[in-house]
Amino acid sequence: MKSNRSVTGGSGMLPGRTLRRASGIAAVCATLSLVSAAAYAAETLSVVTFGGAYENAAKKAYFEPFTAKTGVQFSTESYDGGLAKLQAMEQAKNTTWDLIDLETNDAITACDEGLLKKFDRKSIGNTSDFLPGSISDCAVAAMVWSTVFAYDTSKLKDAPTTISDFFDLKKYPGKRGLRKSPKVAMEWALIADGVAPKDVYKVLGTPAGVDRAFKKLDTIKPNIVWWEAGSQAPQLLADGAVVMTQAYNGRIDDAVHKDKKPFKVVWDAQVYDYEWWGIPTGAKNADTAAKFIVSASQPQSYADLTKYIAYAPPRKDAIPLIEKSRLADLPTAPANFKRPVQIDAQFWADNADSINKRSHASLTQ
Amino acid sequence: MSPPPAAPFGGRAQFQRARRKAALQALLLALPLLVFLLATFVAPIAQLLARSVENPEVSSAMPQLAHALQGWNGTGLPDEQAFAALAGGLKQAADSGQLGNVARRLNFYKPEFRSLMMKTSRAVRSQTPPAWKPVLLDLDPRWGDANTWQLLRRAATSPTPDYLLNAVDAKVAQDGSVVSVSADSAIFRSAFSRTIWISATVTLLCLLFGYPVAYLLANLPAKQSNRLMLLVIVPFWTSLLVRTTAWYVLLQPAGVVNSTLLHFGLISHPLPLIFNRTGVLIGMTHILLPYMILAIYSVMKGVSPSYMRAALSLGAHPATAFMRVYVPQTLPGVGAGVFLVFVLALGYYITPALLGGAGDEMISQLIAMQTNEQLNWGLAGALSLYLVVFTAVFYFIFNRLVGIDRLRFG
């Protein structure tokens, strides 16, 4: 009983003390934040990104130079994509974000639904060197990432060079890693079957085109190993579970540079996509955010990003500013950008459901 | 409630009162658990299952359209009123932020319905014509197709049978009859039969491997049997994910199993042990085996050895005595094990996802795909409903054949 009581007493003391200390800290914090809020009243941009390695790279290449130039500070928050939160903030007329890092499908939908401010492309100046479709009505591309296929050079002596090699089981026997989604796989199947990269979505938009893609995929069906998380792809290669695998170019680049793996990317028929900057309709510092987008879409800013992550500039003028050795790792380097396909987010938003079903039906037969 | 008066002759009433009080006490004691189960288990499941027939997206975002389409006879094109309600509804849905939901819902019926809605919404926002019908017909020929309007009406009708039909690869055709979907988009019926087939195979394998182990455990001297029991219990206590990934490491082409076999020259190429049915069966059997062993063991422990001795002393062959005297006494344990393993296997998700190939998807994986990727919660609810119903039917059949009350779960 006695020991019981002393325990209760002890634990009773603790919260009180912690509480006092916490309230002291809170007071200090509040004072500090008041001070900083006063100093940078209109000059803190609230940015929301996907976090992780890309956010760190963006901090160094985009945020810090902008702060050095203008004194504007950045506060970052991370999210997992999707527009639900933005929509809720816009409806409540209390938007706390000034700048959002968006995926293509969200950028399109948000623009359609009026959640993003229109962006004046003239403010960037000359935009003729931007890649096609990398500036929309509401958003500007922040970088280009790509889905490619890669192999282990220590295991495959005869290097595959085209997407047809990915589908060639005679020349390159063995398992293939593919993301468990018909996206990209369908595009590749058609290109390997002889469709020109620029016509891929025209062909895929017809039932006969979908049949053709599935027929091609069927030829490697028994040899496919599916992966779901991006990190699984380099793992499958490292384990020797597959001889080649579909992968995100950044993941392979990381494995090569950080883990010193003998992997090599095949850029033929790479399927690239943009990552976007957009400004919420109700953003409080919309003008500053627009200035930031202009600054971040200058050739030098894009070139700086590549130092920290293997994602490419969406404009050609940035290419000469990148170190030659780094250039070879980027999706848009001229040598890599010979037969690219830009993923058609509209097509997939419309057809993902039906093609997914077909792909299940065909794969489980 | 006044305190009960002392009743000199009320023995019976007093007894009743005491019994009521005890029952009330028992109920009060069980109440927290009951509330907990209702709030965290029954209610969410009921909600998910209810989604399989609910159809709120279009009718709540565009109520006038839903109303206008109810008055339409379903043949030819609807009148101007419906076209105007569509235009008004699209504006309203875009303003309330529900346009995305509506478009996604319609896309479940037909690919490219989503972009049709988005395109139409963009177009109607900027104009106020005297009549909408010519404007929309001019905008996209699909608005001149009666089928588009029929699907719109189906989407605006709640409750809907569509999810429940889709979950068994069926749909309502244009003329209102129920037909099977085309073979190249039929995936759920085969997934259900595959799920049942895999579960049954795993159950059989567990029984084959588990019965001898349980027999050994029940009949060895206590010291040895306790040690052996550890080998059953420790995996049982280990996380499912850990055991599955362990098999992943063991079975892969360059994994422990294949490299050992290659090293001793038993095989010349790595055996395909993973990303196929073999991997799923190995993994699931290993993970579910302890349930079978423990269920059978608990019954075998209580089987008196004297019956076997009696049979043998009366001249029965040991095998006959085992089959006709011992095995029947262990059947309640076997029944419990089979029931547990089969029902658990029906809902397996992680193990087939990691160890299986494209042809080994079980129904839970498809439910997860509909929930997380397609965001088609109605279909996910319908698939879950069938799984729950099948499990219940299995329970009743099993109960009829074996008798659940005779089972011993240890």
Side-chain angles (χ1 to χ4, degrees), chain B residues 13-99:
Chain B
Q14 211 166 16
F15 172 67
Q16 289 283 2
R17 255 202 309 279
R19 225 173 57 163
R20 265 206 303 276
K21 199 174 156 198
L24 193 71
Q25 260 171 354
L27 184 70
L28 279 176
L29 281 174
L31 200 62
L33 179 67
L34 210 64
V35 171
F36 178 79
L37 278 181
L38 276 175
T40 63
F41 191 68
V42 179
I45 288 183
Q47 223 171 15
L48 180 71
L49 297 184
R51 275 182 188 273
S52 62
V53 291
E54 282 172 357
N55 204 10
E57 292 90 348
V58 176
S59 51
S60 72
M62 304 157 88
Q64 302 97 321
L65 177 68
H67 186 252
L69 286 175
Q70 244 122 52
W72 172 52
N73 65 6
T75 52
L77 281 184
D79 55 9
E80 166 64 24
Q81 193 203 345
F83 278 86
L86 173 71
L90 280 173
K91 279 183 190 172
Q92 206 182 330
D95 289 342
S96 64
Q98 285 177 300
L99 183 60

Side-chain angles (χ1 to χ4, degrees), chain B residues 34-272:
Chain B
L34 210 64
V35 171
F36 178 79
L37 278 181
L38 276 175
T40 63
F41 191 68
V42 179
I45 288 183
Q47 223 171 15
L48 180 71
L49 297 184
R51 275 182 188 273
S52 62
V53 291
E54 282 172 357
N55 204 10
E57 292 90 348
V58 176
S59 51
S60 72
M62 304 157 88
Q64 302 97 321
L65 177 68
H67 186 252
L69 286 175
Q70 244 122 52
W72 172 52
N73 65 6
T75 52
L77 281 184
D79 55 9
E80 166 64 24
Q81 193 203 345
F83 278 86
L86 173 71
L90 280 173
K91 279 183 190 172
Q92 206 182 330
D95 289 342
S96 64
Q98 285 177 300
L99 183 60
N101 277 339
V102 170
R104 180 155 31 83
R105 170 71 190 90
L106 288 166
N107 213 57
F108 294 149
Y109 279 119
K110 202 173 177 162
E112 292 176 18
F113 216 137
R114 196 198 69 91
S115 59
L116 176 63
M117 295 303 274
M118 288 299 186
K119 177 182 167 187
T120 313
S121 158
R122 270 195 299 271
V124 299
R125 225 177 293 170
S126 56
Q127 48 187 320
T128 41
W132 280 105
K133 195 165 174 174
V135 174
L136 291 179
L137 289 179
D138 192 41
L139 178 75
D140 196 295
R142 281 173 284 181
W143 289 123
D145 181 357
N147 185 230
T148 308
W149 290 94
Q150 281 161 357
L151 292 180
L152 210 51
R153 188 168 65 165
R154 289 205 71 78
T157 314
S158 190
T160 177
D162 290 342
Y163 292 124
L164 288 171
L165 290 174
N166 290 347
V168 287
D169 297 329
K171 63 175 181 183
V172 176
Q174 279 195 43
D175 61 2
S177 62
V178 174
V179 293
S180 289
V181 298
S182 63
D184 59 14
S185 59
I187 56 176
F188 298 120
R189 266 184 246 170
S190 60
F192 275 115
S193 55
R194 185 164 54 243
T195 304
I196 293 169
W197 178 241
I198 291 178
S199 305
T201 316
V202 167
T203 310
L204 189 70
L205 288 174
C206 282
L207 184 59
L208 286 179
F209 293 129
Y211 198 89
V213 176
Y215 183 81
L216 205 61
L217 284 173
N219 292 288
L220 276 179
K223 200 173 166 192
Q224 282 164 324
S225 121
N226 282 343
R227 273 188 210 146
L228 264 186
M229 192 55 134
L230 266 184
L231 296 181
V232 179
I233 290 289
V234 170
F236 185 62
W237 284 340
T238 311
S239 143
L240 173 103
L241 199 58
V242 171
R243 283 188 285 165
T244 303
T245 32
W247 278 114
Y248 191 95
V249 173
L250 286 172
L251 296 177
Q252 57 187 322
V256 179
V257 173
N258 270 316
S259 44
T260 311
L261 292 176
L262 281 170
H263 181 74
F264 288 109
L266 294 169
I267 50 172
S268 54
H269 293 291
L271 294 173

Side-chain angles (χ1 to χ4, degrees), chain A residues 12 26-27 57 102 111 115 127 130 143 160 208 213 217 224 226 233 240 242 253 271 298 313 321 324 335 339 342:
Chain A
L102 296 145
C111 197
L115 296 172
T127 54
F130 271 81
M143 52 90 165
L217 273 181
I224 297 175
W226 301 99
V242 296
D253 189 71
V271 179
Q298 295 310 313
L321 305 173
K324 287 279 173 297
R339 290 211 301 165
Q342 186 192 351

Side-chain angles (χ1 to χ4, degrees), chain A residues 204-255:
Chain A
L204 210 51
T206 64
V210 175
D211 286 343
R212 188 170 164 190
F214 275 117
K215 222 170 133 198
K216 188 70 182 174
L217 273 181
D218 276 352
T219 60
I220 58 164
K221 191 164 93 177
N223 284 42
I224 297 175
V225 174
W226 301 99
W227 54 263
E228 286 181 72
S231 57
Q232 279 174 280
Q235 194 59 49
L236 285 172
L237 265 191
D239 293 344
V242 296
V243 295
M244 31 185 124
T245 183
Q246 185 185 68
Y248 304 129
N249 76 294
R251 299 281 183 176
I252 299 297
D253 189 71
D254 254 21

Side-chain angles (χ1 to χ4, degrees), chain A residues 9-36:
Chain A
S11 65
M13 292 275 290
L14 201 58
R17 207 181 289 158
T18 321
L19 205 68
R20 269 196 302 282
R21 191 179 297 160
S23 64
I25 292 171
V28 173
C29 282
T31 323
L32 275 178
S33 67
L34 269 179
V35 171
S36 64

